[in-house]
Amino acid sequence: MIFPLEKTVKFTGNIYEATVAASHRAYQLAMTRDEKIEENDGKVVSLAAKQIFNNEVTYLKLEEK
């Protein structure tokens, strides 16, 4: 799977938050050696982005002060 560009373009939330969340999720996946990484041809970042943009995992959104 490649990076989900279609979902990224259509995303209406804070893209910076989603990018940071995907980065943190990629780190989690890599550190836990999740089996889904092999199913995704070892592409950790694209797997993390897919999970974020498909709402398979959630992240805390920052509130503005």
Side-chain angles (χ1 to χ4, degrees):
M1 171 191 165
I2 59 171
F3 198 84
L5 291 176
E6 303 84 31
K7 297 222 178 208
T8 305
V9 170
K10 294 178 183 177
F11 186 70
T12 59
N14 185 327
I15 195 67
Y16 176 76
E17 284 180 351
T19 303
V20 171
S23 174
H24 285 273
R25 181 61 180 156
Y27 179 77
Q28 289 175 338
L29 290 168
M31 294 308 294
T32 60
R33 297 184 179 152
D34 194 299
E35 61 190 35
K36 293 180 182 180
I37 295 171
E38 289 303 316
E39 296 170 11
N40 200 49
D41 298 323
K43 297 177 181 173
V44 181
V45 174
S46 63
L47 174 60
K50 175 186 163 200
Q51 289 179 342
I52 294 294
F53 288 108
N54 288 334
N55 296 316
E56 294 175 27
V57 295
T58 58
Y59 58 95
L60 296 176
K61 297 180 181 183
L62 300 175
E63 293 184 20
E64 293 184 28
K65 292 184 179 185

